[in-house]
Amino acid sequence: LANAHIVPTPDGKLNFEQILRERLGIAAAHVLSSTLTPDAIVGISSGRTVLALGEALADGNFPNVKVVQVAGSSISGENYSPEYCTALIAGKLGARSINLYAPAIISSTKLCEQILNEPSLVHQFELIGSLDTLVYGVSGLDPDTKFSDSVFVTKDVVRQYLKQNAIGAVLGRFVDRNGKETSGPLAGRIIAMKVEAIKNVPRRILVAGGEKKLEIIQTMLDAGFVTHLITDMKTAEKLK
């Protein structure tokens, strides 16, 4: 961990999650925009906290920056989907948006393998392999967890992953306490950057906070997947 940015934890329960996301988004927007190099290649995941970052960004002028979607697109139409977050952040920065034109989850492992071998996807993942910055969030696994691909990631699917000792999700993939991707019903069907590839990115910005995400945040830190952490005070105090 090279740097940590801590925001105040909201008081009370009224609109707690929304206020927390807004505060984390503002802090993350400052970190990203103030450290961005003119020719950066920035990977963007999905989630409501990453969306809050995009909404908090001031307009910029970075025409040579590439903002790259690192997980497949959602069919749900949610505004925190990876394709929306990528386009929003690129638009705010005045940068190039490079979206991943493939579904996040494929119906079969064979079809997923075929799609990943398409030249356009091969090129996209080569670009993902050259990221110098990755901005991402994480999800804990509880009844309130929202996934941008809720059509495939149902409560039953989540229960099956919990039985496989999954503690959270990152880049649309379920991970255990060691930060390893767990086996489950979506194995071999996901189009997204691999979890272990996060370590190859020089600057890894995790934006997450709150009690429900404490365990998965700790796991990401322990596994070496974070160089810059943006979280809230109460969460930070409980991290080891």
Side-chain angles (χ1 to χ4, degrees):
L1 185 68
N3 216 323
H5 302 263
I6 313 300
V7 303
T9 304
D11 296 323
K13 296 182 179 180
L14 185 63
N15 297 324
F16 176 88
E17 297 289 345
Q18 179 181 343
I19 295 170
L20 177 58
R21 285 194 297 269
E22 289 174 353
R23 291 180 179 182
L24 292 171
I26 291 169
H30 172 73
V31 171
L32 178 61
S33 60
S34 64
T35 58
L36 202 60
T37 58
D39 56 352
I41 304 175
V42 182
I44 299 295
S45 70
S46 61
R48 290 176 290 178
T49 310
V50 175
L51 173 65
L53 181 164
E55 291 174 339
L57 274 172
D59 291 341
N61 183 26
F62 294 92
N64 295 321
V65 166
K66 298 182 180 75
V67 180
V68 183
Q69 182 179 331
V70 299
S73 299
S74 166
I75 62 172
S76 68
E78 297 285 1
N79 63 354
Y80 51 83
S81 66
E83 64 273 21
Y84 184 88
C85 289
T86 301
L88 173 65
I89 291 170
K92 286 289 192 75
L93 292 173
R96 293 175 57 192
S97 177
I98 302 178
N99 288 97
L100 203 167
Y101 295 108
I105 300 173
I106 306 300
S107 58
S108 71
T109 56
K110 182 179 180 180
L111 182 57
C112 187
E113 184 179 352
Q114 290 173 336
I115 291 173
L116 285 170
N117 284 325
E118 284 293 318
S120 60
L121 268 292
V122 171
H123 174 73
Q124 181 85 8
F125 279 93
E126 287 174 351
L127 190 58
I128 290 172
S130 65
L131 296 177
D132 51 58
T133 300
L134 174 66
V135 181
Y136 70 105
V138 290
S139 299
L141 298 184
D142 64 74
D144 296 326
T145 302
K146 291 196 174 188
F147 293 93
S148 59
D149 238 316
S150 56
V151 173
F152 285 102
V153 188
T154 62
K155 289 184 178 180
D156 181 61
V157 167
V158 172
R159 280 194 293 267
Q160 291 184 60
Y161 275 103
L162 286 169
K163 289 179 181 178
Q164 297 295 325
N165 299 315
I167 58 139
V170 54
L171 307 180
R173 300 179 183 272
F174 292 86
V175 297
D176 62 18
R177 286 179 176 82
N178 296 313
K180 302 290 186 182
E181 186 172 357
T182 56
S183 60
L186 303 181
R189 297 169 49 201
I190 296 172
I191 293 185
M193 180 181 185
K194 292 187 180 296
V195 176
E196 59 267 27
I198 294 174
K199 286 185 179 180
N200 299 330
V201 183
R203 196 161 63 124
R204 310 179 290 276
I205 303 173
L206 173 58
V207 191
E211 181 71 28
K212 296 175 182 178
K213 296 185 179 182
L214 179 61
E215 188 174 20
I216 183 66
I217 294 171
Q218 185 69 66
T219 291
M220 293 294 101
L221 289 168
D222 293 343
F225 292 142
V226 187
T227 59
H228 294 68
L229 175 65
I230 298 153
T231 193
D232 66 285
M233 180 61 74
K234 287 187 178 179
T235 301
E237 288 173 344
K238 294 177 182 178
L239 293 170
K240 300 174 183 178

